[in-house]
Amino acid sequence: MGTKRQFRIWRGDENGGELQDHMVEVNEGEVVLDVLHRLQNTDTPDLAVRWNCKAGKCGSCSMEINGKPRLSCMTRMSTFEEGETVTVTPLRTFPVIRDLVTDVSFNYEKARETPAFAPPADVAPGDYRMQQVDVERSQEFRKCIECFLCQNVCHVIRDHEENKESFSGPRFFIRAAELDMHPLDAKTDRKEYAQAEMGLGYCNITKCCTEVCPEHIKITDNGIIPVKERVVDRRYDPLVWLGSKIFRRGQVPQTYVTSAQHSGAVHSSAPHGGVHSHAGGSHDPRHETEAQRGVNWHREVPHPTAPATDANGKLPLTELTFDRAAAPSPFGDDVTFPLPPQHLNFAHPQQDEPKH
């Protein structure tokens, strides 16, 4: 038989709400999400709670518990004092839909704006090779479960609604860091893009994002700070500046990419004119062409649609592959399905040919 504990839960919607008190039974070994489910089964059947895996891997059950952003499925009741009131509220940074469920679509919009991984054009699928040290360098960032707790505590977003348009947040800064550290990524301008388009300069490395990460990713120390240092090296190091003037390399034109809802064009203030992508500012026409082919800056990215399934309700393998290695985005509008079997990565036609 469990003990009764007091819970204070925020109830309401986008028009407002209030904290409501509940006495609920708590058993040994339970987590906050267990208690919320018991409340749904007893006192509050209309309580809105978002959850999925209940194993700390999907990031769905993000909320604020006693003022701290946490995963409710990983917050054990044993961590609270016996007589302590447990207050559960929705994430404050994002608009409330109802009760503990918030609208986190801001993060998916920023995900669509982030350029995808672009493999080298001269290496066939199946022939990609990386050193183990390179794998380990960026593997930490791939542990992200997109719970968006780091986005929730970032004061640049939390306290300033006007920053959301030009600031992507820590979750996508580590995405930029991961790709910038990837030895096979063909885009050489990740740090410049993070500075110019993702709002990296707004971050003042308070490390609050690192403190709440349930995967213990060192977001600030291993991701944001290294990218900031590389931006400073490229833009403000006097030796790099002098070398770029002498050898005409490494110059970064002052560009900005406007979103489709504004003008849908890429503008440049480079003195020689012309449209430039973020290809490292090399002024090399070949690199510029490749970069423009890898990311179509002019298109309006559509919202993702439900994947097609076969007669058995299974997702066909062809739905998980692209018609070229450097597809601009999982939500791209230039990919056609289904793909012929010979284009699938695991059956690349060059894999079985003898090496010369």
Side-chain angles (χ1 to χ4, degrees):
M1 185 68 179
T3 59
K4 290 286 188 177
R5 298 289 299 273
Q6 183 174 5
F7 267 69
R8 184 168 294 166
I9 301 176
W10 194 90
R11 302 296 307 278
D13 53 26
E14 68 275 9
N15 298 317
E18 62 180 1
L19 290 169
Q20 296 182 1
D21 291 328
H22 299 273
M23 292 298 294
V24 59
E25 178 183 329
V26 176
N27 299 315
E28 184 178 358
E30 288 188 330
V31 295
V32 171
L33 186 59
D34 292 324
V35 179
L36 295 177
H37 285 168
R38 181 170 293 113
L39 273 173
Q40 287 179 321
N41 293 330
T42 56
D43 299 344
T44 58
D46 60 340
L47 175 64
V49 180
R50 180 183 284 139
W51 69 284
N52 188 21
C53 75
K54 206 175 179 181
K57 291 302 177 184
C58 72
S60 301
C61 62
S62 301
M63 56 189 68
E64 297 191 10
I65 303 173
N66 283 3
K68 182 177 181 179
R70 305 182 183 184
L71 297 178
S72 61
C73 72
M74 298 299 290
T75 305
R76 293 197 171 276
M77 289 300 302
S78 58
T79 60
F80 303 107
E81 298 292 336
E82 187 172 342
E84 183 178 1
T85 298
V86 180
T87 303
V88 184
T89 56
L91 299 177
R92 298 186 188 181
T93 302
F94 308 112
V96 173
I97 297 177
R98 187 162 69 88
D99 298 342
L100 303 178
V101 178
T102 55
D103 180 4
V104 294
S105 59
F106 159 80
N107 302 287
Y108 297 105
E109 293 170 3
K110 293 302 178 182
R112 286 194 293 269
E113 294 174 3
T114 303
F117 171 71
D122 57 344
V123 182
D127 289 342
Y128 301 151
R129 298 292 182 268
M130 292 175 60
Q131 296 293 327
Q132 184 62 33
V133 64
D134 293 323
V135 175
E136 294 170 353
R137 183 178 293 116
S138 61
Q139 186 65 27
E140 175 187 11
F141 307 127
R142 298 189 67 85
K143 296 192 301 180
C144 175
I145 61 175
E146 297 203 322
C147 60
F148 304 128
L149 294 182
C150 61
Q151 300 284 88
N152 179 64
V153 299
C154 180
H155 65 275
V156 180
I157 309 174
R158 188 181 183 111
D159 300 334
H160 304 279
E161 183 70 22
E162 67 276 9
N163 287 338
K164 286 187 175 181
E165 182 177 351
S166 56
F167 186 78
S168 295
R171 188 277 169 266
F172 302 103
F173 291 154
I174 64 172
R175 174 63 174 163
E178 173 202 340
L179 293 174
D180 190 44
M181 296 175 185
H182 202 298
L184 294 178
D185 184 53
K187 283 185 64 63
T188 59
D189 65 326
R190 297 288 180 183
K191 43 194 169 292
E192 287 83 5
Y193 184 85
Q195 174 72 12
E197 305 300 331
M198 300 176 71
L200 181 66
Y202 285 109
C203 173
N204 56 6
I205 55 177
T206 57
K207 298 189 179 184
C208 51
C209 50
T210 301
E211 292 178 3
V212 300
C213 179
E215 288 294 320
H216 307 291
I217 302 172
K218 292 181 172 56
I219 299 173
T220 309
D221 292 341
N222 293 350
I224 296 177
I225 291 178
V227 174
K228 277 178 168 284
E229 289 174 344
R230 291 167 188 160
V231 170
V232 170
D233 288 344
R234 289 289 297 273
R235 288 178 175 267
Y236 305 112
D237 190 308
L239 295 179
V240 174
W241 177 86
L242 180 60
S244 67
K245 292 298 183 182
I246 296 175
F247 300 106
R248 303 293 296 175
R249 297 178 58 188
Q251 294 184 7
V252 182
Q254 298 298 316
T255 66
Y256 65 94
V257 182
T258 57
S259 57
Q261 59 266 30
H262 294 295
S263 66
V266 180
H267 302 273
S268 173
S269 60
H272 56 280
V275 176
H276 282 274
S277 69
H278 289 271
S282 62
H283 296 184
D284 187 325
R286 181 174 61 86
H287 291 166
E288 294 289 343
T289 303
E290 290 178 356
Q292 286 290 351
R293 186 170 65 247
V295 177
N296 181 3
W297 300 102
H298 301 280
R299 78 166 190 271
E300 181 177 359
V301 180
H303 291 283
T305 57
T309 56
D310 58 21
N312 298 322
K314 303 295 184 180
L315 183 67
L317 181 61
T318 52
E319 287 290 336
L320 304 177
T321 58
F322 295 105
D323 61 348
R324 56 190 174 91
S329 168
F331 311 103
D333 55 358
D334 53 352
V335 179
T336 57
F337 298 106
L339 301 180
Q342 61 269 24
H343 287 181
L344 300 180
N345 288 351
F346 70 88
H348 195 276
Q350 297 180 356
Q351 283 185 331
D352 299 328
E353 295 179 1
K355 304 296 183 181
H356 299 291

